[in-house]
Amino acid sequence: SLHVTYSPEYPDLLPQFRIDSPVGLDEDETAQLHSLVVESAETMLGMAMVFGVQAGAVEALEAFVRARDDRNEADRERRLAEEEAAEKAKYAGTKVTMDSFTQWRTKFLKELAEQERVRALMRAEANKGKITGRALFEKDKTLAKSDMGLMADGDVTVDASQFEGLEDDAEEEEEEN
């Protein structure tokens, strides 16, 4: 609030101005407002000035509020821009060039080869001492003939050599359809 104390020589002599409880103003803004009130009053010496001083004070307060709002908005926009830049930085990766890709691919292929080697060693270790079915039949020819005794009269034997190449013909027909 603006308090005015008139002197007996008013309007030829400036009245005393006091600003109480400037809501939301800091000390610097209060001092600026007081000096604006005094300057405004000095320009109106010799005539009624309180209404004009009060109007000037209202305009100054509105300017202070607009400036503060502008600063707050600029700060908010700056913080948003910083947050957005930080968010983008999270997802920004290494730029891929031909050299970096080649280095990565070489390393990746070495890792795959190492994994395959480990798997092969694990399979060999798991099959250690075991013999495969093919190896069994190659080792003991009587195993192939042992099932012949289980065949009953009227069963047909099939010669697999007659069907060689038929698989290739079936694949070609599927491709055509």
Side-chain angles (χ1 to χ4, degrees):
S1 57
L2 177 64
H3 295 277
V4 180
T5 307
Y6 294 101
S7 64
E9 290 87 26
Y10 177 80
D12 294 328
L13 188 63
L14 287 180
Q16 294 293 318
F17 296 103
R18 188 179 81 230
I19 301 172
D20 287 339
S21 305
V23 177
L25 296 181
D26 59 22
E27 289 180 22
D28 186 41
E29 290 172 334
T30 305
Q32 283 180 336
L33 181 61
H34 189 269
S35 66
L36 284 171
V37 165
V38 171
E39 288 175 17
S40 177
E42 287 175 350
T43 60
M44 296 182 209
L45 265 177
M47 58 182 147
M49 64 182 84
V50 175
F51 182 77
V53 168
Q54 181 269 341
V58 168
E59 287 178 17
L61 282 172
E62 289 173 352
F64 289 148
V65 169
R66 275 193 306 275
R68 181 178 299 124
D69 288 345
D70 291 346
R71 284 192 308 267
N72 290 342
E73 182 65 21
D75 287 345
R76 188 181 71 75
E77 288 176 4
R78 181 188 48 80
R79 275 185 270 122
L80 286 175
E82 288 173 357
E83 290 172 4
E84 186 176 305
E87 189 70 23
K88 283 183 181 178
K90 282 184 195 177
Y91 297 108
T94 304
K95 301 280 185 209
V96 177
T97 63
M98 191 57 141
D99 291 337
S100 66
F101 175 75
T102 305
Q103 290 173 356
W104 169 84
R105 186 170 186 270
T106 304
K107 181 182 170 188
F108 180 71
L109 291 176
K110 284 179 184 177
E111 289 174 3
L112 283 180
E114 178 63 21
Q115 289 174 356
E116 184 57 35
R117 187 185 67 77
V118 169
R119 276 193 223 112
L121 286 174
M122 290 174 63
R123 271 187 257 125
E125 188 66 33
N127 292 333
K128 191 174 185 179
K130 293 182 182 177
I131 193 165
T132 64
R134 180 179 180 164
L136 277 173
F137 281 96
E138 287 175 352
K139 183 178 177 182
D140 187 5
K141 302 282 183 190
T142 61
L143 290 174
K145 295 182 181 186
S146 66
D147 287 345
M148 295 300 285
L150 299 174
M151 290 182 65
D153 287 336
D155 285 346
V156 179
T157 59
V158 178
D159 184 12
S161 63
Q162 293 177 354
F163 297 101
E164 288 179 6
L166 290 179
E167 292 175 359
D168 294 335
D169 292 340
E171 289 176 6
E172 288 176 9
E173 286 179 21
E174 287 178 15
E175 289 176 6
E176 290 175 4
N177 293 331

